[in-house]
Amino acid sequence: MGPDDILVIAAQEFTLRGKDLYQASYALMSYFSGHCRRGTIADGYAGPAQLPPADAPYDPGDTGGNILAVRVEVIADTLDRGTTTAIEVMHRGFDTLGRALPDQYTADEIQLLTIAIGGDALTVSHLDRDTAYRRAGSTEP
């Protein structure tokens, strides 16, 4: 992380009725993990927007609801570069989702999802270097 780099956080929720969000989460998290290992992104998350309470009994028919929350964090020198990288990773993640779960997602469904990335529901925030280090619990680089 350079002295002027910032942490860019892009998040979006997607409505996926009738899909198994736990399987989708696993496929997307596997994809994001690869990008974390390569250093393309700092962190990524994909999962149901509302997880069941910790004390809820196990339900084998639970597919995680209808809303998939996706978040990608990128360290970049500008807000634009970080946002572009995050959107690109989301886009390619959904492409791999179609290949990982072809029984659940048609090519048309994946196309609609990738078109929605970066739309009105996208939120982008950023932290400067000092704030990012404080967030990580460190006071020095």
Side-chain angles (χ1 to χ4, degrees), residues 43-59:
D43 195 13
Y45 170 80
Q50 292 184 335
L51 295 173
D55 60 348
Y58 174 71
D59 178 4

Side-chain angles (χ1 to χ4, degrees), residues 20 22 58-64:
D20 188 328
Y22 293 120
Y58 174 71
D59 178 4
D62 181 17
T63 59

Side-chain angles (χ1 to χ4, degrees), residues 8-117:
V8 179
I9 304 160
Q12 189 166 353
E13 292 184 346
F14 300 88
T15 302
L16 302 174
R17 292 187 193 346
K19 307 297 182 183
D20 188 328
L21 297 191
Y22 293 120
Q23 286 184 354
S25 300
Y26 181 79
L28 286 169
M29 287 299 294
S30 295
Y31 180 76
F32 293 159
S33 293
H35 276 282
C36 283
R37 283 191 302 276
R38 289 189 295 281
T40 310
I41 65 174
D43 195 13
Y45 170 80
Q50 292 184 335
L51 295 173
D55 60 348
Y58 174 71
D59 178 4
D62 181 17
T63 59
N66 294 323
I67 299 177
L68 179 71
V70 177
R71 184 188 72 247
V72 175
E73 299 181 7
V74 178
I75 296 170
D77 58 349
T78 66
L79 179 60
D80 288 341
R81 276 200 193 127
T83 303
T84 300
T85 301
I87 289 172
E88 169 111 8
V89 168
M90 281 186 197
H91 191 276
R92 290 185 183 196
F94 276 105
D95 280 345
T96 63
L97 182 64
R99 289 191 300 276
L101 300 170
D103 57 323
Q104 288 195 43
Y105 298 93
T106 66
D108 290 341
E109 289 174 317
I110 294 299
Q111 183 179 14
L112 288 174
L113 287 169
T114 57
I115 288 170
I117 295 170

